[in-house]
Amino acid sequence: MGAGYDLELVNLTKRYGDTLAVDGIDYHFKAGHYVCLLGPSGCGKSSTLRMIAGHESVSSGSVVLDGFDVSHLPPAKRGTAMMFQNYALFPHLSVRDNVAFSLRMKGIDKAARHKKANELLELVDMTKYADRLPAQLSGGQQQRVALARALVTQPKILLLDEPLSALDPFLRIRMRAELKKLQRELGITFIHVTHGQDEALALGDELVVMNNAVIEQAGRARDVWAAPRTEFVARFMGGHNVINLAGSKVALRADDVIVGQEGMAATVSAVEYQGGHVALTTKTETGEEVLALVPEGHFFESPKNPGDAVRLAWDEGRLHRLQA
Ligand code: ADP
Ligand code: MG
């Protein structure tokens, strides 16, 4: 399957009546990346994905694929494929016929489409289930079939809308490793929508964080996590405190808070053992909540309980000023 295509969104906008679901976003997805599009429910992720796929019309702006404006092309003519949240497999068709379905629609003969479907089933390790019906498969297996079905058209960009949300937590972690491996093998762009920051960090080479119909921040996963630009991103990505210091808002990583003999006075409000570290929620004298992640060895040298007085310190250089 050939290399990917660059994808550019230019002032892309979606309105449903009075609802502005996507508000003029601009973004350049470079070929061959695993990109996670994340943000809270209702922020416009699915609408964006569906406009890229052609399952939703654009209200204004354009979708440019490999230099061509595809905004008004039907889905099958774009070089994209979409894997839906609920897999949407045909219950009365075998696994092989589900995978071959879009080839049948294109009028490809049975022998050729079965050959192609078998190749894809091999790719997702589902060869031995080819003759089963979807109802005879587990959730993870159905998901692999849905992936094979999306990939059978040899898309340049695979669009995945919350592909792991129907799986139990254990399987979700296993399937995300499989998705990542598949993307590397195919070398095409995956755009994966999720509302989970852990999933986005685990998978995305690049993150695009949306909020209220716009892109709030985008960049390499580590950069977005380590250097959130806004309070929203700091809070949404987690692991950060947002505190008011001398009139401006700063982000401070919870693992950079030092609980000791010096610094700001605070009272412990909750203690949660998390294995490698202990999460200590505290309240300062000015009423701000500050979370400290303390390495467990260090914590148990002098354990704290709710109600205890503590002092909080940090290295000034670790404070990260947020945009107002
Ligand atoms: P997300 O995928 O981030 O949860 P969506 O793109 O599904 O967000 O929705 C963005 C906004 O558009 C929401 O306010 C949602 O209610 C609205 N919306 C989505 N689809 C439709 C639709 N078909 N008709 C009307 N409003 C819609
Ligand atoms: Mg959605």
Side-chain angles (χ1 to χ4, degrees), residues 16 19 21 40-47 50:
Y16 303 100
T19 306
S41 180
C43 72
K45 306 179 297 296
S46 294
S47 299
R50 290 200 304 262

Side-chain angles (χ1 to χ4, degrees), residues 2-234:
Y5 282 173
D6 274 24
L7 166 68
E8 224 171 323
L9 308 182
V10 185
N11 198 19
L12 190 66
T13 301
K14 182 68 199 180
R15 281 190 206 86
Y16 303 100
D18 291 339
T19 306
L20 186 54
V22 180
D23 187 5
I25 63 176
D26 292 293
Y27 199 69
H28 187 161
F29 295 87
K30 282 184 233 50
H33 284 213
Y34 203 119
V35 187
C36 285
L37 183 57
L38 80 160
S41 180
C43 72
K45 306 179 297 296
S46 294
S47 299
T48 301
L49 212 63
R50 290 200 304 262
M51 285 191 284
I52 296 170
H55 295 299
E56 193 70 76
S57 62
V58 307
S59 299
S60 60
S62 43
V63 176
V64 180
L65 202 60
D66 194 31
F68 295 95
D69 187 342
V70 299
S71 313
H72 302 287
L73 287 183
K77 296 242 158 85
R78 294 188 178 203
T80 56
M82 182 130 169
M83 189 178 131
F84 295 93
Q85 198 162 355
N86 53 9
Y87 314 151
L89 298 175
F90 300 111
H92 58 288
L93 293 184
S94 71
V95 162
R96 184 185 292 105
D97 286 337
N98 261 283
V99 175
F101 185 77
S102 64
L103 304 178
R104 191 171 111 198
M105 292 294 99
K106 285 186 177 166
I108 293 169
D109 71 74
K110 191 167 176 175
R113 63 180 194 255
H114 278 186
K115 181 165 178 286
K116 189 73 206 163
N118 289 342
E119 278 171 36
L120 269 298
L121 287 171
E122 188 69 42
L123 180 74
V124 296
D125 204 16
M126 284 293 289
T127 301
K128 63 173 184 270
Y129 302 98
D131 296 311
R132 289 209 191 167
L133 292 173
Q136 297 166 317
L137 302 176
S138 72
Q141 291 166 341
Q142 288 182 30
Q143 200 213 26
R144 291 202 198 112
V145 177
L147 259 176
R149 192 178 57 171
L151 291 168
V152 79
T153 58
Q154 298 187 291
K156 303 298 183 185
I157 298 186
L158 182 66
L159 306 160
L160 307 107
D161 195 353
E162 310 223 7
L164 305 177
S165 60
L167 305 177
D168 66 60
F170 181 76
L171 196 56
R172 198 178 302 157
I173 289 171
R174 232 189 64 199
M175 289 307 292
R176 83 188 178 201
E178 290 189 20
L179 282 175
K180 185 95 181 172
K181 181 164 164 274
L182 196 59
Q183 188 270 334
R184 286 218 185 93
E185 283 171 11
L186 296 171
I188 63 172
T189 303
F190 276 30
I191 304 178
H192 175 136
V193 163
T194 173
H195 59 261
Q197 53 82 24
D198 55 338
E199 189 168 305
L201 288 171
L203 280 168
D205 303 314
E206 195 175 318
L207 305 188
V208 177
V209 185
M210 286 185 74
N211 185 31
N212 287 330
V214 298
I215 293 174
E216 185 101 1
Q217 186 169 352
R220 290 194 322 164
R222 271 195 78 185
D223 294 340
V224 173
W225 195 81
R229 269 208 295 270
T230 62
E231 176 171 1
F232 170 81
V233 176

